[in-house]
Amino acid sequence: MADSPELATKALESDAQDDNTAAQTSGIPGDSKPDQGAGSMGEHCVTDRPAPAGQTPTGEVAKYGEVEVYITKPADYPHQPSKLLLLLTGGTGIHSVNNQLQADRYAAEGFLVAMPDQFAGDPAPTSTTTLAADENMSVLEQVKLGMVNVAKSFTIDMWLARHTPEKVLPVLERVIVAVKEEFADAVESGGGVYAVGYCFGAKYVLLLGGEGSQDANAAKTAAAEEEGMVAHGPQIKVGAIAHGTQVTRDDIAGNRVPLTIVAVENDSLFPEDVLESGRQALKEQNVELEVQTYPKVPHGFAVLGDYDDTSIVEAQKEAFQQMLAWLKSH
């Protein structure tokens, strides 16, 4: 999304015209549909579910490449070999307890996890409640609720305008350079950098797995820039993504590393036509791909957090195992 006040204003006007009464619910417990014109970000992309009771993150936040990074390690590291995993979050960012606990789960499975602050200290605006219309609301109450949702959508659009690939990729590239140097043993053990991405972060796993990103070796990049050239090539070895947002067909088609996708049935934020056209492109390129679609779950379900619906909880566990198995098999 271009950094354009005019575009954001049009989005606000569109919201007011399309839905000035109330947010809609999807019929899935704990889910909400994204507001019209919300910049391809839903409630689950910017709001954490309740954290699992009795769990405390075990990692720590440090700076790598002048960027805050949550680092969490296997209990037996460095005495036992580990693999370096880059974890890219949704809009809630690295200080979210749920995201930290999710990183810890990968660490418990033998990965040294680096979870960078993609947003430079500016995580997405959050909402603590799902705003939905009640059939008993008066017309005035519904109009007021609609105005709140329009304002929220406008705020998200403005946030997205501050976090485009042109802004986010250089941040990630600095982190990759720094953590590869700091944890060279883990990079060597895994034969490269592994990556997982949820919601907002899924798009950037795809971009880092493509041929158009800068080489993560600082010396090579500096030399290339001095010569007026930019080195190209995937910066990761393998990728795993869940319910991406703002993902395009070209993002998927440009990926060149083995990839597994956790998809949600009837997901307006990651439509089937985008997924299918990307799938066909990767097939033509002979890129290894696995896709599993989960029915009757909300967008964002694979991000750690409690749900009252046990079927969503089980699907969340299954999605984690899907992504973990893919990483371990590569």
Side-chain angles (χ1 to χ4, degrees), residues 115 173 186 201 280 316 320:
M115 186 169 70
E173 289 168 350
Q280 290 300 319
Q316 185 181 96
F320 176 75

Side-chain angles (χ1 to χ4, degrees), residues 2-158:
D3 192 357
S4 169
E6 180 182 359
L7 179 61
T9 301
K10 287 181 178 178
L12 178 59
E13 292 172 349
S14 175
D15 281 345
Q17 293 168 359
D18 293 344
D19 185 7
N20 62 358
T21 57
Q24 301 176 6
T25 57
S26 68
I28 298 171
D31 192 20
S32 63
K33 287 184 179 180
D35 299 324
Q36 296 292 327
S40 298
M41 293 281 280
E43 191 76 19
H44 284 72
C45 302
V46 299
T47 305
D48 276 332
R49 297 292 301 174
Q55 297 186 33
T56 303
T58 59
E60 61 181 12
V61 175
K63 283 199 172 182
Y64 291 88
E66 300 182 353
V67 177
E68 279 196 325
V69 182
Y70 179 79
I71 299 290
T72 180
K73 307 170 185 177
D76 54 4
Y77 178 83
H79 304 294
Q80 294 294 327
S82 182
K83 298 176 181 178
L84 182 61
L85 175 67
L86 187 73
L87 193 158
L88 305 182
T89 72
T92 51
I94 70 166
H95 294 287
S96 154
V97 171
N98 285 350
N99 290 339
Q100 292 181 354
L101 290 174
Q102 188 127 42
D104 291 347
R105 289 195 174 183
Y106 285 105
E109 295 290 343
F111 291 92
L112 194 161
V113 185
M115 186 169 70
D117 178 11
Q118 307 164 90
F119 313 122
D122 178 34
T126 59
S127 171
T128 56
T129 58
T130 298
L131 300 177
D134 186 283
E135 61 181 5
N136 296 319
M137 279 186 175
S138 68
V139 173
L140 179 59
E141 288 173 328
Q142 292 186 38
V143 169
K144 289 180 178 179
L145 180 59
M147 292 175 65
V148 170
N149 281 296
V150 167
K152 183 174 67 175
S153 298
F154 178 71
T155 302
I156 293 296
D157 277 344
M158 295 301 292

